[in-house]
Amino acid sequence: MSSNESRLRTLVDENLDLGRSPNFDGSFADAGVSSLNAVAFMKIVEKEFGVSISAEQWAGIGTLRSLVDHLDSHTA
C-alpha cells in the first residue's frame, strides 16, 4: 500500500460515512457516495495532497484506486 493510499483511506474514514471499509476498485456511486459528497471529498483531497485536479481529470477518475494512481503519479 502506497503512502498516498494510506492517507486517502484515512480521508475516506474521516469524511465519507460509508459504514465499512471502502472498496478501492468500485465507483464512488457503488460505495453509496452522492455526487455532492464526491465533489466535497475531491476538494478535500486536492487540499490534503496539494494538487489541482481539473474537471476533465476528475471525470476520468472513477474509483478510489484510480485516484490513488493519479496521486502517486502527481505527488512527490
Side-chain angles (χ1 to χ4, degrees):
M1 176 185 315
S2 73
S3 63
N4 285 337
E5 182 175 343
S6 178
R7 287 171 63 195
L8 192 61
R9 283 184 184 277
T10 299
L11 287 178
V12 167
D13 290 343
E14 292 173 349
N15 297 282
L16 297 176
D17 187 21
L18 300 180
R20 64 191 180 291
S21 295
N23 175 1
F24 269 59
D25 297 312
S27 71
F28 288 98
D30 290 342
V33 178
S34 71
S35 58
L36 182 62
N37 286 340
V39 169
F41 182 69
M42 291 174 189
K43 291 183 183 300
I44 292 167
V45 169
E46 286 181 321
K47 183 176 180 182
E48 173 72 20
F49 288 90
V51 297
S52 179
I53 303 173
S54 70
E56 293 80 22
Q57 289 172 316
W58 278 123
I61 297 173
T63 66
L64 289 170
R65 177 85 48 226
S66 60
L67 179 54
V68 169
D69 293 342
H70 180 85
L71 294 169
D72 284 348
S73 66
H74 289 88
T75 60

